[in-house]
Amino acid sequence: MTLGSAADLVHELKSKGYKITRQREAILKVLSSDECRLMTAQQIYEEVNATMPGTNFSTVYRNLEVLTQENIVQKIEINRDAAYYELAPDRDHHHHHLICKSCGSIKTTDFCPFEAMKDEDGFMPVEHRFEVYGYCKNCKQ
Amino acid sequence: MTLGSAADLVHELKSKGYKITRQREAILKVLSSDECRLMTAQQIYEEVNATMPGTNFSTVYRNLEVLTQENIVQKIEINRDAAYYELAPDRDHHHHHLICKSCGSIKTTDFCPFEAMKDEDGFMPVEHRFEVYGYCKNCKQ
DNA sequence: CTCGTTGCAAAGGCTTTGCAACGGC
DNA sequence: GCCGTTGCAAAGCCTTTGCAACGAG
C-alpha cells in the first residue's frame, strides 16, 4: 500500500464511487500533508477553511466519517474533549503515541507491543491502541 | 498498597479531609465490589441508586472526579460514547483490556507492553494505555 | 438530470456548573 | 455552626441529523 498523497487518496475515493468536491479535496490535503498529523476535527476544520473558506463543520465531520469507514483515516479517542484523526496505519507507517501531560504535544513512536503479546484465551485481536502519557523533553524539568 | 475494600477507601478519603456521605460510601462500594469492574458513569449511577435511591447524576460525576484526582479511580476514555471508570492500578492489580468489537464485552489481561518499550528520546513516561480490540470467544465465528 | 454532498440550524448525549438547601464533623 | 456536599436545573461542548439547495459526473 502506497503512502497516501492527497492525489492518490482523491483517486481512491473516486474509484469507490464518491464524488470529488473541493471540500473533500481540501480535507484530504490537510490530512496527508508532510508532517505526521494527529488532529482534532476542530483543527482540520480550521486548516480546511484556510484553503476552502466557508466549509462547514458538518461537512468536515461527515467526510471524516466517510474516510474512517473507508479505512483511509483512523479515529483515535484519547480523551473525551475531542476525537483525533490521522491517516490510517495502512496508509501511513504503523506507530503509537507519546502524549505530554503538560503541554499536550504528541510524538509518535515506532515501538509496537503487539507482537510480544501472548495468545489470550479465545480472544481474536484485530486492532490495538498503545499510548504513553508522560512529559516531553521540554516539560520534564 | 492494599487492594482497596470499600471500607479502606472510605477511611482513606476521610484521612484526606473529605467528608463521608452515604452517597460517597455507596459509590465506593460499587467500584470496589468483587469482580473486576470497568463501568460507565451511567452504570455506576444505576448501581448506586439501588442502595442509595435518589442519588443524583451530578453527585456521581463529582465524586468520580474527586476519586480520580485522589488517584483512587482511573478514568478510561476508550470511546467517545462514555468514559469508563475503574479502581486505579495502584489499588487493583495492573492490567490492560481486551474489548470485543461485536458485543462490547471487556476482558482484562495481565500482559503489559510497558517494560519492553525502549527509551524514547527525551520522553519521560508516567502512564500508559494498552487496549486490544477484536472478537471474543463467543463472537469470533 | 440524478443522486451524492453541502450549509444551516437544531437536536443529541455525556458531562459540567451555579446556586440554594442539606448535613458531616 | 461551618464548610464541604448534594439535588436540581440549566448550560457546555463535541458531534450528529433533517432538510432544502447545490453541483459533480
Side-chain angles (χ1 to χ4, degrees), chain B:
Chain B
M1 179 76 59
T2 165
L3 204 154
S5 75
D8 288 347
L9 298 177
V10 164
H11 181 73
E12 180 174 345
L13 270 187
K14 201 168 196 169
S15 71
K16 285 188 175 175
Y18 292 96
K19 290 179 180 170
I20 304 308
T21 62
R22 284 163 301 164
Q23 293 88 335
R24 210 158 249 171
E25 279 183 318
I27 291 169
L28 285 173
K29 194 171 161 196
V30 167
L31 284 166
S32 58
S33 68
D34 324 295
E35 27 172 340
C36 176
R37 313 297 291 264
L38 187 64
M39 311 172 74
T40 62
Q42 170 74 43
Q43 293 173 313
I44 295 168
Y45 168 77
E46 283 166 12
E47 291 211 16
V48 164
N49 268 275
T51 38
M52 259 304 293
T55 302
N56 197 274
F57 235 122
S58 314
T59 303
V60 173
Y61 273 114
R62 278 192 277 233
N63 275 297
L64 287 174
E65 199 193 323
V66 166
L67 294 171
T68 301
Q69 294 209 331
E70 293 303 335
N71 204 38
I72 291 173
V73 157
Q74 178 177 35
K75 185 178 182 179
I76 301 194
E77 331 217 356
I78 289 175
N79 60 50
R80 278 199 59 77
D81 293 344
Y84 284 82
Y85 299 86
E86 66 177 4
L87 283 189
D90 298 347
R91 317 287 157 163
D92 208 337
H93 68 288
H94 186 78
H95 62 262
H96 293 283
H97 301 284
L98 309 173
I99 302 150
C100 180
K101 289 166 74 81
S102 175
C103 70
S105 69
I106 300 176
K107 282 181 58 182
T108 60
T109 173
D110 289 345
F111 172 75
C112 174
F114 195 56
E115 292 83 24
M117 199 179 88
K118 60 183 181 301
D119 254 20
E120 291 287 341
D121 170 47
F123 190 85
M124 185 178 90
V126 173
E127 302 165 26
H128 62 284
R129 296 288 158 79
F130 178 53
E131 269 105 34
V132 181
Y133 298 78
Y135 296 98
C136 72
K137 197 184 287 187
N138 296 330
C139 296
K140 73 171 177 187
Q141 16 52 12

Side-chain angles (χ1 to χ4, degrees), chain A:
Chain A
M1 178 78 56
T2 165
L3 204 154
S5 75
D8 288 347
L9 297 177
V10 165
H11 182 73
E12 181 175 343
L13 269 188
K14 201 168 196 168
S15 72
K16 285 188 174 175
Y18 292 96
K19 290 178 181 172
I20 304 309
T21 62
R22 285 162 301 163
Q23 293 90 333
R24 208 158 253 170
E25 278 182 319
I27 292 170
L28 285 173
K29 194 171 160 196
V30 167
L31 284 166
S32 59
S33 68
D34 323 297
E35 25 170 344
C36 177
R37 313 297 291 263
L38 187 64
M39 312 172 73
T40 62
Q42 171 75 42
Q43 292 173 314
I44 294 168
Y45 168 77
E46 282 166 12
E47 291 211 15
V48 164
N49 269 275
T51 38
M52 261 301 296
T55 302
N56 196 274
F57 234 124
S58 313
T59 303
V60 172
Y61 272 114
R62 278 191 277 233
N63 275 297
L64 287 174
E65 199 193 324
V66 165
L67 293 170
T68 301
Q69 294 209 329
E70 293 303 333
N71 204 38
I72 290 172
V73 158
Q74 180 177 35
K75 185 178 183 179
I76 300 195
E77 331 214 359
I78 289 176
N79 60 50
R80 278 199 58 78
D81 293 343
Y84 286 83
Y85 298 86
E86 67 179 1
L87 284 189
D90 299 348
R91 318 285 157 164
D92 208 337
H93 68 288
H94 186 79
H95 63 263
H96 294 282
H97 303 284
L98 307 174
I99 303 150
C100 181
K101 288 167 74 81
S102 174
C103 70
S105 70
I106 300 177
K107 284 182 57 183
T108 60
T109 172
D110 290 346
F111 171 77
C112 175
F114 195 57
E115 292 84 23
M117 199 179 87
K118 59 183 182 301
D119 254 22
E120 291 288 340
D121 169 46
F123 190 85
M124 186 177 90
V126 173
E127 302 165 24
H128 62 284
R129 297 286 158 76
F130 178 53
E131 269 107 32
V132 181
Y133 298 78
Y135 297 98
C136 72
K137 198 184 288 187
N138 296 330
C139 296
K140 72 171 175 187
Q141 16 52 11

